Amino acid sequence: MARTRTAGIRIDSDGRRIIDKEHRGVGIYLRLGPISQEDAEQQLANEVARIDAELRYNANHRHRFVDCAERYLAESKHRRSVDVAAWHVRLLTPYIGMLEIHQIHDATLKLFVHDRLASGVKASTVNRSLEVVRTVLHRAARSYRDGEGRPWLDAVLPLITRLPESPRPPYPITWDEQDRLFSKLPSRLARMVLFAVNTGLRESNVCGLEWSWEVPVPEVGRSVFVIPREAFKSNRPHVAILNDIAWSIIEAQRGQHPIWVFPYQGERVSTMNNPAWQR
């Protein structure tokens, strides 16, 4: 294979020109066919210019919030809270999604905070969204790197200010209040809530309770449910003890679904905080 006057351009035995060159660490290989030396040199110049432009872009490119959030959600898909995080990202995207990551701070979040409060949500709900922003920024600065090892956010992490919260203190409802509350709920939802009250399980564990987790205890003539670590918030197995009321609810649910203890229309229930509960 013969060389030509230009390094990186060769001619094969059939008279066809080939570009085979490395420019700034990027390989260029093109079979050009029977074209002139001048045309081959122009093709090479075009490829060199393209590579230079891409490298300049990559050197100056700053990732947007939506890029960082997309990576964060992809890496968090094994977490039970990923759906909630994705919901917050969808709320945030119209406001800051297209902003470069270094442009996000209290001032650029001001309109988002104003609109959310104006819609009637509480400060604590807005703060959950701001926590997602803080987490994404932290990942961009500490974990995410480009091809040359530079952080996606190469600046001091901004302080995202949380809104002051004034939560109402929790208190135990009376038996009368419980009776009045439960009487307003659809029967299927009332059973789930009554089960939660009598087991202390979180909403996600009641909604996702599976028959495969049931373990008979012959000594007491009933069962317990052993919730696996991946389904429990503290990431450790949890044993749900059933008192008389909880056991009676389990017995009433048998045979409704092969997997879920509390199904609805043949599917897993996603939340108890549905429109029926809110009404």
Side-chain angles (χ1 to χ4, degrees), residues 237-253:
H238 175 79
V239 179
I241 307 298
L242 309 181
N243 63 15
D244 290 343
I245 295 175
W247 177 248
S248 68
I249 294 172
I250 289 298
E251 290 290 273
Q253 294 296 118

Side-chain angles (χ1 to χ4, degrees), residues 11-12 33 39-40 72 181 186 206 264:
I11 303 177
D12 65 14
D39 288 342
Y72 167 66
L181 170 62
V206 175
Y264 180 60

Side-chain angles (χ1 to χ4, degrees), residues 185-257:
L185 298 174
S187 58
R188 67 171 188 87
L189 186 56
R191 285 194 298 272
M192 296 177 72
V193 177
L194 187 59
F195 185 81
V197 167
N198 282 275
T199 60
L201 290 178
R202 299 172 62 87
E203 178 192 33
S204 60
N205 294 134
V206 175
C207 292
L209 196 66
E210 298 186 25
W211 288 114
S212 61
W213 301 344
E214 186 179 18
V215 178
V217 183
E219 292 82 358
V220 295
R222 64 179 58 169
S223 303
V224 297
F225 279 81
V226 180
I227 301 173
R229 57 181 298 177
E230 60 270 15
F232 202 69
K233 184 179 181 181
S234 62
N235 199 33
R236 66 173 187 269
H238 175 79
V239 179
I241 307 298
L242 309 181
N243 63 15
D244 290 343
I245 295 175
W247 177 248
S248 68
I249 294 172
I250 289 298
E251 290 290 273
Q253 294 296 118
R254 292 194 188 279
Q256 294 190 23
H257 194 276

